[in-house]
Amino acid sequence: MYLEALGLRENPFSITSDPAFLYLSRKHREALSHMVYGIRERKGFIEITGEIGTGKTTLCKTLLRHLDPTTKSALILQPALSDLQLLQLIVQDFGMNPMRTNRLNLFNQINQFLLEQATLGHNIVLILDEAQNLNLRTLEQIRMLSNLETDKQKLIQIVLVGQPQLREKLSRPELEQLRQRIGVRFHITALDLDEVCTYIDHRLRVAGSDGTLEWTQDGAEEVFRCSKGVPRLINQICDRSLLACYVYRVKRIDGEIVRRSYQELVAPVAVS
Ligand SMILES: Nc1ncnc2c1ncn2[C@@H]1O[C@H](COP(=O)(O)OP(=O)(O)OP(=O)(O)O)[C@@H](O)[C@H]1O
Ligand SMILES: [Mg+2]
């Protein structure tokens, strides 16, 4: 109901990852280009890192829409599973039935699939989100998956996406072989002030804002200051600010409203 009062069709700052609200900042575009390039050029391993809430999962989902039709993909969003479960999930996501229940058989099933797809001229990509949670043994297992190649090219490209601890994990001596196979790396940083302003405008527009609501420059600057440009935090702060706007019966979001809303978020009971 409060959305209607503010001239909005839907919630502009939901923290779910709705592709309709996608805003590709320069960093997000660059990250996407690195992924697409690494896959197209068959670079083997691609490493994408970013702090919490900077848009990694959003990018993984966006990537799927940027692959050409001859590229078959599997996206694993929660790889903190056992080795066996992970292999089963990979098999399933590639559209097969993981009938076989031991590691070796599942491995063979994937290898067979890769060879079949190669004869059809298809490229294969496996995207593993939250890859910082993979243990060393699983990472080593994933490296072995990538061993299959013809004289000319790799049959599977593997995109490892994770928080900065992923980089630390990959620098462990036990993972030297995997590290040497990383052909593309990119680190996503937070949005700068201009991008935060555009991000807010973009989301309001997509949510059907009819102009009733005004988000001042000072309000956007305060969002930037409080969120440090991290999209999930931007959404939380902006969402709270919208609610405040409704409660105070105003149609203008300025620095003061954002500041108060942020304080309520970080210290819900300490606000006078
Ligand atoms: N490029 C973007 N365009 C629009 N919204 C975005 C974008 N990036 C992030 N968001 C918003 O921020 C939220 C957090 O993004 P996302 O879940 O992709 O971050 P993450 O880096 O995967 O976080 P975590 O480190 O917790 O896994 C998303 O649900 C979405 O609402
Ligand atoms: Mg994520």
Side-chain angles (χ1 to χ4, degrees):
M1 194 185 70
Y2 78 93
L3 293 175
E4 209 175 295
L6 298 174
L8 295 163
R9 235 189 358 247
E10 56 182 313
N11 184 352
F13 300 108
S14 152
I15 56 162
T16 58
S17 189
D18 181 346
F21 283 92
L22 182 71
Y23 162 68
L24 288 178
S25 68
R26 187 172 54 79
K27 289 104 180 183
H28 288 121
R29 257 200 318 272
E30 277 174 18
L32 196 58
S33 305
H34 276 75
M35 293 195 260
V36 170
Y37 164 82
I39 293 165
R40 213 173 268 161
E41 299 302 316
R42 300 189 182 233
K43 292 291 183 187
F45 277 92
I46 298 156
E47 176 198 304
I48 305 290
T49 50
E51 299 288 345
I52 296 173
T54 45
K56 300 180 295 298
T57 302
T58 305
L59 270 178
C60 289
K61 293 178 179 169
T62 308
L63 173 63
L64 297 181
R65 299 200 303 275
H66 281 76
L67 298 174
D68 55 54
T70 57
T71 302
K72 303 292 162 203
S73 61
L75 166 60
I76 310 293
L77 291 172
Q78 298 284 347
L81 310 157
S82 73
D83 288 11
L84 187 68
Q85 285 170 324
L86 182 62
L87 285 173
Q88 285 174 327
L89 215 57
I90 292 171
V91 166
Q92 225 165 17
D93 225 70
F94 277 130
M96 295 173 284
N97 196 352
M99 304 274 275
R100 299 151 179 176
T101 50
N102 79 43
R103 265 169 21 104
L104 188 64
N105 285 337
L106 286 164
F107 234 92
N108 288 338
Q109 199 176 356
I110 296 174
N111 281 347
Q112 185 64 35
F113 169 75
L114 293 182
L115 288 169
E116 281 165 15
Q117 293 296 315
T119 59
L120 296 171
H122 292 168
N123 189 2
I124 300 296
V125 55
L126 169 63
I127 308 159
L128 295 166
D129 194 12
E130 306 269 10
Q132 77 280 351
N133 292 334
L134 293 168
N135 61 40
L136 298 189
R137 193 179 116 126
T138 311
L139 281 166
E140 183 55 15
Q141 177 176 282
I142 288 164
R143 178 188 69 79
M144 299 208 304
L145 266 187
S146 80
N147 272 351
L148 206 67
E149 54 191 18
T150 64
D151 292 343
K152 293 203 186 305
Q153 57 193 10
K154 300 196 186 308
L155 300 187
I156 184 166
Q157 322 314 316
I158 299 176
V159 188
L160 298 174
V161 181
Q163 290 166 15
Q165 301 94 290
L166 171 64
R167 170 75 58 93
E168 285 160 39
K169 201 166 251 183
L170 293 173
S171 66
R172 300 274 284 265
E174 303 93 305
L175 293 175
E176 172 71 19
Q177 277 181 294
L178 196 163
R179 191 165 59 253
Q180 285 189 5
R181 285 166 170 73
I182 297 176
V184 176
R185 275 199 182 87
F186 191 81
H187 182 75
I188 308 164
T189 49
L191 307 184
D192 61 27
L193 174 60
D194 281 349
E195 288 169 328
V196 170
C197 296
T198 317
Y199 181 93
I200 294 173
D201 275 354
H202 171 78
R203 279 190 169 263
L204 289 174
R205 211 162 349 101
V206 176
S209 175
D210 65 3
T212 304
L213 182 74
E214 184 197 353
W215 207 295
T216 68
Q217 176 66 21
D218 166 46
E221 282 170 14
E222 193 59 26
V223 173
F224 171 67
R225 204 183 61 78
C226 299
S227 66
K228 300 192 169 57
V230 173
R232 186 181 292 122
L233 299 179
I234 298 174
N235 283 15
Q236 285 171 339
I237 295 165
C238 290
D239 191 47
R240 192 74 180 206
S241 304
L242 281 185
L243 182 63
C245 209
Y246 178 69
V247 171
Y248 303 144
R249 295 178 186 279
V250 293
K251 304 271 192 272
R252 197 165 174 272
I253 298 192
D254 58 13
E256 181 54 27
I257 290 198
V258 174
R259 209 165 10 256
R260 272 173 163 262
S261 304
Y262 176 66
Q263 281 166 3
E264 284 171 20
L265 267 182
V266 292
V269 284
V271 166
S272 58

